[in-house]
Amino acid sequence: MRKIILSVFLIFCVNLVVAQVLQPLDSNRNIDDRNRPYGDSLSRGSTESTSIKDIKNYDAKIEQYLVISHKNDTTYVDTTLTIQKEYKFNYLRRDNFELLPFSNVGQSYNALSYNYKKDELMPLFGARARHYNYMEIEDINYYHVPTPFTELYYKTAFKQGHQLDAFFTVNTSPQFNFSIAYKGIRSLGKYQNILTSTGNFRFTSSYKTENQRYFANAHIVMQDLMNQENGGIQDDNVPYFESGNPEFLDRGVLAVNFEDAENMLKGKRFHLDHHYYIIKPTDSLAKNALRVNHIISFEDKYYEYNQKKESAYFGDSFQPEGLRDRVTLENFYSELGLNYRNNIIGDVEINLGYSNYNYGYDKVTIINSQYITNRLKGDIVSVNGSYNKTINGFQLDAKAGLNVVGDFDGNYLLGNASYKLNDNLEFGAHVSHNSKAPNYNFQLYQSVYKNYNWQNSFKNTKTQQVGFHVQSKLFGTATVDFTNINDYTYYMKDGVDDLVKPFQAGASINYVKLKWEKGFNFFRKFTLYNTIMYQNVQDDGMIFNLPELTTRNTLVYSNRFFKNALFLQTGITFSYFTNYRMDGYDPLLAEFYVQNDREYGNFPRFDFFVNAKISQMRIYLKAEHFNSAWTGYNFYSAPNHPYR
């Protein structure tokens, strides 16, 4: 009944709702004129009317095509061609410097670093290796545009494959906007049984009343992410891969651990975030504003693993063929809050949240006389609040949250302070604390494979982080984070039957991460962009393994041609990370596990690219890892899983 009521309610809201117009962006967000093509229709303005008869816009500029985040932070559509766009032109559509992709597009990523600045109160659904392209609430944006706007992303994949991300948004009136988008991929890959097929559909709508008292953003997202799995190449075939023998350059001839398995993550979410001003601010400098906030969200997702015949790779099973594991999670969340803004006090918000969760399986399991339940379900009541204020140039932000009723304890505290000395220098600091229950699949898991059945009562994982950042036009951007982790949960082969099981660390882990980014211009047309990350882990148990040094350096040439009609960028990117005990990948769990048998890394990667922009079209040509033939075939994304 709750699903039916929520669905009807959200459909009603979607028929009403869409993007809010916020204050104009300041000059710090202006697009670099060097990357703005001459004759750009969005730059010079348009005298054409939109497709809606009663809406005309005689001055459509790029700054009016607003992009609004789930936190109501506003930017505008970026049509430039920069090195940052080159870094983001990939399957995830974001910079993946701290991730190492698998050989096929749409597969998972091995993490090269972690960030523990979090505000989570609830455990997460499992199969985290499948979630890199799963769009969460914070990944969905809303829009306000003066004319209809379309973006089409297309990229080839590996061997019989394509990627497409199509997006369209329009304001049917100054009060109402909607957008519709779909991202899909199908790629066969170069190794046996690693086909990927994924789809992400999203629909958003935004609405505001003419008196600007009521604002609402809503979205519907439906996603299905399927991967065929092969368990990696067999151990006795690893020497063939690393030898560079021409007979094995066709990767399809390498034997893999199995050829009949696939896993899939599917989910759908209905989300509405709206608020009403009881006391409406007359402008950004208004002394008082009071609003009521409400969020309602429902998400239903499942993870499934299918295999035709049992494999010794996972140990013994309950049945020899037709193997299938399936776990589901239904999560309903509602939040009611009050926000008060005053030019003296600042911005204060307090919210009361309610969660109903239902995670698990269709039946109980009894194995080795141990009873394993089939469901974790219950209700959680939480409170959270936030505060922000600018005092004498210092921007202060704080957030806190606590579960007050329910089976899962959880709390977090975040604090940020920053100061902008001038246009050339900004610095800041943050502190964070988080305590939450381990992810659901650490607590309860069932499988047709006997080893993958457990029910645990692990303690909350607790993290504390202190960080500092400096942003300078002269010296670049530098960040440093100091993190302490207690009761860390992880997967690892148990050393008895050499099969993966969940564990919780007894000792604390200390983790330092230092990152620096800076571009150097020389000879007018050349730029050297550098991103360097240093990490140090103090971990006696060797369960938190990361490379000590990771670097990416790009030398790029930029120029305009054909009377400035064509803007061209071409260059080479060098990427490298030092040897470390890289985590292994378990395709049944869709999780990474700790291994200390062998170190991986220490292989250079060179990518050559040619990027061009003509009017609003951006063209990308790229040769990835073109140096593999002459720097050795010892490149891996995970043990037994070669890099592309």
Side-chain angles (χ1 to χ4, degrees), residues 308-496:
K308 293 180 180 178
K309 295 182 180 180
E310 68 175 339
S311 171
Y313 186 89
F314 301 114
D316 297 331
S317 66
F318 291 110
Q319 60 192 61
E321 56 186 24
L323 293 82
R324 177 176 176 268
D325 296 339
R326 181 184 173 104
V327 59
T328 63
L329 173 65
E330 294 179 356
N331 190 77
F332 173 82
Y333 181 74
S334 182
E335 180 181 282
L336 182 65
L338 199 63
N339 178 281
Y340 176 70
R341 187 172 75 231
N342 180 274
N343 62 333
I344 298 176
I345 298 175
D347 193 307
V348 182
E349 182 170 307
I350 186 167
N351 304 293
L352 178 68
Y354 166 77
S355 296
N356 176 270
Y357 62 92
N358 187 349
Y359 165 87
Y361 304 82
D362 293 334
K363 54 188 176 183
V364 300
T365 298
I366 299 177
I367 183 169
N368 297 329
S369 301
Q370 180 186 2
Y371 175 86
I372 298 177
T373 188
N374 65 320
R375 288 280 162 186
L376 299 175
K377 57 183 181 179
D379 302 287
I380 300 289
V381 177
S382 62
V383 293
N384 68 79
S386 64
Y387 173 79
N388 62 77
K389 169 71 174 173
T390 300
I391 303 175
N392 295 327
F394 282 92
Q395 177 63 43
L396 305 177
D397 301 277
K399 294 175 63 178
L402 174 69
N403 287 342
V404 293
V405 176
D407 293 331
F408 292 133
D409 294 330
N411 60 79
Y412 68 83
L413 176 65
L414 301 175
N416 294 275
S418 62
Y419 182 76
K420 188 172 183 179
L421 187 64
N422 51 50
D423 290 340
N424 298 318
L425 181 62
E426 179 181 339
F427 54 88
H430 74 265
V431 296
S432 69
H433 163 83
N434 182 261
S435 172
K436 74 176 187 69
N439 295 343
Y440 288 110
N441 59 346
F442 279 96
Q443 302 181 56
L444 174 65
Y445 204 83
Q446 290 185 14
S447 173
V448 70
Y449 282 99
K450 295 180 181 179
N451 174 72
Y452 291 83
N453 290 272
W454 56 71
Q455 184 174 356
N456 298 306
S457 298
F458 287 141
K459 300 176 183 177
N460 276 18
T461 299
K462 294 166 280 292
T463 61
Q464 297 83 32
Q465 185 178 92
V466 177
F468 305 92
H469 77 268
V470 177
Q471 186 171 347
S472 165
K473 287 187 177 181
L474 181 61
F475 299 105
T477 300
T479 60
V480 59
D481 295 318
F482 302 90
T483 305
N484 175 264
I485 310 171
N486 290 286
D487 299 313
Y488 176 69
T489 52
Y490 60 98
Y491 292 101
M492 189 175 185
K493 292 185 176 180
D494 59 8
V496 178

